[in-house]
Amino acid sequence: KNQNQTLSSFSFSFNGSIDFADVTTWSSAGRLFQIEYAIEAVKQGSAAISLQLKTHVVLASINKANSKLSSHQKKIFKADDHIGIAIAGLTADGGFLSKYLRSDCINYTFTYESPLPFGRLVVQLADNAQVCTQRSWKRPYGVGLLVAGLDESGAHLYYNCPSGNYFEYQAFTIGSRSQAAKIYLERKYETLMGRAHQACTLCNQGNTTRRKAHKLYLHRGCGCNRWTFPCNRSEYHNKWVESFEIQEQTAEATIPAGDMQEDQGQQTAPMDI
Amino acid sequence: MNYFEGLEGTVSSESDSQRTLTPYVTGTSVIGIKYKDGILMTADMGGSYGSTLRYKGVERMKPVGKHSIIGASGEISDFQEIMRYLDELIIHDNMWDDGNSLGPKEIHNYLTRVMYNRRNKFDPLWNTLVLGGIKNGQKYLGMVSSIGVHFEDDHIATGFGNHLARPILRDEWKEDMSFEDAVKLLEKCMLVLLYRDRSAINKLQITKITEEGATVYQPYALKTHWGFTAFKNPANGGAEGSW
């Protein structure tokens, strides 16, 4: 239903020409509406947030469930040991793209016995998305991707847009009602450098009001060339996240030593959020 | 050693003229060792046309990218083909211009894939390649053969070097040798090969790769000693046998 409302709200420069029939057809104002609608689809999806620190990248997402009885939508995917992505928008397109990313990564590793420098993966993905905007029989992907990973030059975060553009970010949020989180990140980002646990809390803070309604999945990419996903069970996560909220000094103790890798010699100070 | 003998009738005749069945101009051994600052590799400059030592200025070692060097024994034209593949690979890697570069490990594995795929098509590249390099302080030395056999080690030798040089290297190679010691060790191996390998010539090159880059040194000759009575006067009690 949201899609239909969007379509009509975008027709203010509508002049009777076919501006939402083909991606390849320009509007008279020099716009490709299909791409803009695809970007709108991303904005309608549930939120995904990401933060890049010196040695870690953090991904967080709000996963919706269709009904009380159904499972929650999976929005964070592992593309390789050193690359993970979070999506917002048409999750079916997201699953398809993550399959493509995984196969690119593994083909590179097969030939070169070494992890794919993931900046190149992002460019290939963007080129792929651009192709979909210039073929009459294709439509743009309806999903925005936050690609997080590690390579020789450290930890990086990229955002891949349905238009085929990609940008590197230090922190970014996509999806519905992520604006509050974005503003929060812009304010608080400098104070966070090097403190990955607090960063996770920050991601959570940006979505505080809705945390109870949906489950929050937090995943951290660690600086040791391994993408480690902590325990996937949401109850565990909610407990961990809540413990940060209550500002307990012993928040670290709730994390099993094997699952997560620590910042180098980082002591968690009392939260001053 | 000739794994591809007797193949003439086994694959379709249209493709026979395209496949390498025997080598024509070949290079002999290549020796590579790890030392303190990186890798040292040595090979002579001979290209044999069967039993004739026809070409005496063949460079059988080349730098690859910023971090590696490659040495080849076997068919020289196939080595030139491999260099074209590697040039293309390095150029595409450089065009990304993103701070990432292919290291020796990646190139070794790429070559392994190339050699193995050709072997599967019964159209091998008739070479044994030595790939060495250093990246971010990590030294790497490996070998790939024409049938795709590949491995890494602290010291590598191809061809006759396997039989004559490796025993010396096993006894006398140490971790973190200085440049001078490493060169002496290589020269010792090359001297044995010069005396005993009929395809070896007395014009050898040394190539080194360190974090600063690759250096291919000018060719030079080893001092040999032939002043044995067995040579000077074989008839009068000098030469009892070939040993």
Side-chain angles (χ1 to χ4, degrees):
Chain A
K1 45 181 169 37
N2 277 339
Q3 289 276 105
N4 290 336
Q5 287 168 10
T6 309
L7 282 170
S8 53
S9 70
F10 259 74
S11 53
F12 55 86
S13 68
F14 183 75
N15 62 354
S17 59
I18 39 164
D19 52 4
F20 35 63
D22 259 285
V23 189
T24 54
T25 309
W26 291 96
S27 80
S28 55
R31 297 159 72 161
L32 285 170
F33 282 117
Q34 282 295 297
I35 297 178
E36 297 180 22
Y37 299 159
I39 294 171
E40 188 61 30
V42 174
K43 290 191 199 152
Q44 300 289 334
S46 62
I49 302 170
S50 185
L51 268 171
Q52 173 212 324
L53 307 167
K54 276 201 274 292
T55 54
H56 294 62
V57 194
V58 183
L59 288 175
S61 70
I62 305 280
N63 298 358
K64 288 207 195 117
N66 278 336
S67 68
K68 280 219 180 84
L69 297 171
S70 80
S71 63
H72 292 80
Q73 179 70 262
K74 184 170 162 159
K75 280 160 56 88
I76 296 187
F77 300 93
K78 171 176 163 174
D80 201 349
D81 283 337
H82 63 299
I83 303 179
I85 60 170
I87 61 169
L90 257 55
T91 47
D93 282 1
F96 176 81
L97 282 177
S98 74
K99 210 160 48 144
Y100 160 76
L101 292 176
R102 282 169 182 166
S103 93
D104 255 15
C105 286
I106 210 166
N107 284 338
Y108 186 93
T109 304
F110 172 71
T111 309
Y112 299 100
E113 213 36 58
S114 169
L116 174 61
F118 95 109
R120 303 185 183 187
L121 184 69
V122 165
V123 173
Q124 279 165 6
L125 184 62
D127 287 345
N128 200 305
Q130 192 279 339
V131 165
C132 296
T133 66
Q134 213 172 2
R135 301 280 180 270
S136 56
W137 62 91
K138 284 185 183 246
R139 61 160 178 82
Y141 291 121
V143 65
L145 294 144
L146 289 166
V147 188
L150 303 152
D151 68 10
E152 276 172 27
S153 39
H156 296 278
L157 165 66
Y158 289 90
Y159 171 57
N160 275 77
C161 194
S163 60
N165 283 324
Y166 67 96
F167 302 98
E168 183 163 5
Y169 283 98
Q170 287 168 318
F172 200 55
T173 69
I174 52 176
S176 65
R177 285 168 288 193
S178 58
Q179 197 54 29
K182 200 182 282 185
I183 293 171
Y184 199 83
L185 283 171
E186 281 173 20
R187 272 197 285 126
K188 285 281 179 175
Y189 182 69
E190 257 79 47
T191 63
L192 269 186
M193 296 300 290
R195 295 154 109 189
H197 288 299
Q198 291 176 324
C200 294
T201 311
L202 189 66
C203 282
N204 169 55
Q205 283 292 333
N207 293 287
T208 323
T209 53
R210 291 149 65 234
R211 195 175 51 73
K212 293 193 189 70
H214 306 290
K215 305 211 173 196
L216 178 65
Y217 281 79
L218 292 170
H219 296 266
R220 279 175 57 205
C222 296
C224 321
N225 280 333
R226 276 189 60 237
W227 179 265
T228 56
F229 285 113
C231 177
N232 262 335
R233 275 184 221 96
S234 56
E235 306 79 34
Y236 171 78
H237 269 291
N238 279 340
K239 204 162 45 135
W240 181 63
V241 159
E242 265 176 66
S243 64
F244 271 109
E245 292 236 308
I246 305 166
Q247 296 189 19
E248 262 173 43
Q249 198 81 14
T250 55
E252 305 289 282
T254 64
I255 304 152
D259 266 5
M260 297 204 178
Q261 311 210 12
E262 299 289 329
D263 280 334
Q264 326 306 337
Q266 191 66 37
Q267 292 301 322
T268 305
M271 308 296 155
D272 59 354
I273 296 172
Chain B
M1 251 305 279
N2 189 351
Y3 299 101
F4 301 97
E5 236 171 275
L7 279 181
E8 286 79 3
T10 55
V11 189
S12 73
S13 47
E14 293 88 40
S15 49
D16 259 8
S17 56
Q18 319 280 359
R19 294 186 295 117
T20 304
L21 297 168
T22 55
Y24 287 99
V25 180
T26 56
T28 182
S29 328
V30 177
I31 311 178
I33 57 173
K34 287 184 186 169
Y35 79 109
K36 184 161 66 79
D37 302 322
I39 310 288
L40 267 180
M41 211 184 275
T42 182
D44 68 22
M45 297 193 76
S48 306
Y49 186 62
S51 53
T52 309
L53 291 176
R54 187 161 170 191
Y55 302 104
K56 302 195 181 167
V58 181
E59 268 201 34
R60 297 196 288 117
M61 295 177 295
K62 295 268 157 85
V64 180
K66 289 195 294 247
H67 304 284
S68 326
I69 46 176
I70 183 174
S73 66
E75 173 65 55
I76 299 297
S77 63
D78 281 351
F79 176 52
Q80 291 168 345
E81 183 77 356
I82 288 168
M83 283 317 297
R84 278 201 325 113
Y85 289 149
L86 287 176
D87 280 344
E88 207 179 307
L89 184 72
I90 297 294
I91 285 173
H92 282 126
D93 189 45
N94 289 340
M95 287 201 309
W96 280 105
D97 200 21
D98 62 351
N100 290 303
S101 52
L102 290 171
K105 181 175 202 228
E106 287 81 18
I107 295 179
H108 184 221
N109 280 286
Y110 170 80
L111 286 172
T112 304
R113 291 294 119 225
V114 169
M115 302 299 267
Y116 184 67
N117 278 317
R118 292 289 295 255
R119 165 261 196 207
N120 284 337
K121 295 195 275 202
F122 283 96
D123 181 15
L125 289 160
W126 210 285
N127 294 107
T128 306
L129 306 166
V130 181
L131 208 297
I134 178 167
K135 189 176 177 197
N136 297 333
Q138 291 268 46
K139 296 185 272 238
Y140 188 93
L141 181 61
M143 192 188 96
V144 195
S145 79
S146 54
I147 50 169
V149 174
H150 62 284
F151 53 88
E152 269 180 74
D153 207 343
D154 297 323
H155 42 79
I156 299 272
T158 70
F160 255 87
N162 263 315
H163 301 109
L164 299 175
R166 290 202 93 179
I168 302 176
L169 294 170
R170 277 188 215 116
D171 276 344
E172 300 188 20
W173 182 87
K174 293 191 309 290
E175 192 83 50
D176 284 335
M177 295 173 79
S178 71
F179 179 73
E180 292 75 25
D181 286 342
V183 169
K184 276 208 193 69
L185 181 58
L186 285 176
E187 284 180 351
K188 186 172 180 179
C189 297
M190 289 304 277
L191 193 59
V192 177
L193 287 168
L194 184 60
Y195 282 133
R196 295 295 178 179
D197 180 5
R198 72 144 189 210
S199 338
I201 61 168
N202 198 1
K203 186 177 177 190
L204 61 133
Q205 267 190 318
I206 294 199
T207 308
K208 94 173 168 188
I209 177 106
T210 60
E211 288 280 12
E212 282 83 50
T215 320
V216 182
Y217 288 99
Q218 289 296 342
Y220 65 103
L222 294 172
K223 278 203 178 59
T224 54
H225 176 70
W226 298 98
F228 299 102
T229 28
F231 291 131
K232 281 201 272 208
N233 205 356
N236 284 343
E240 272 140 24
S242 56
W243 305 110

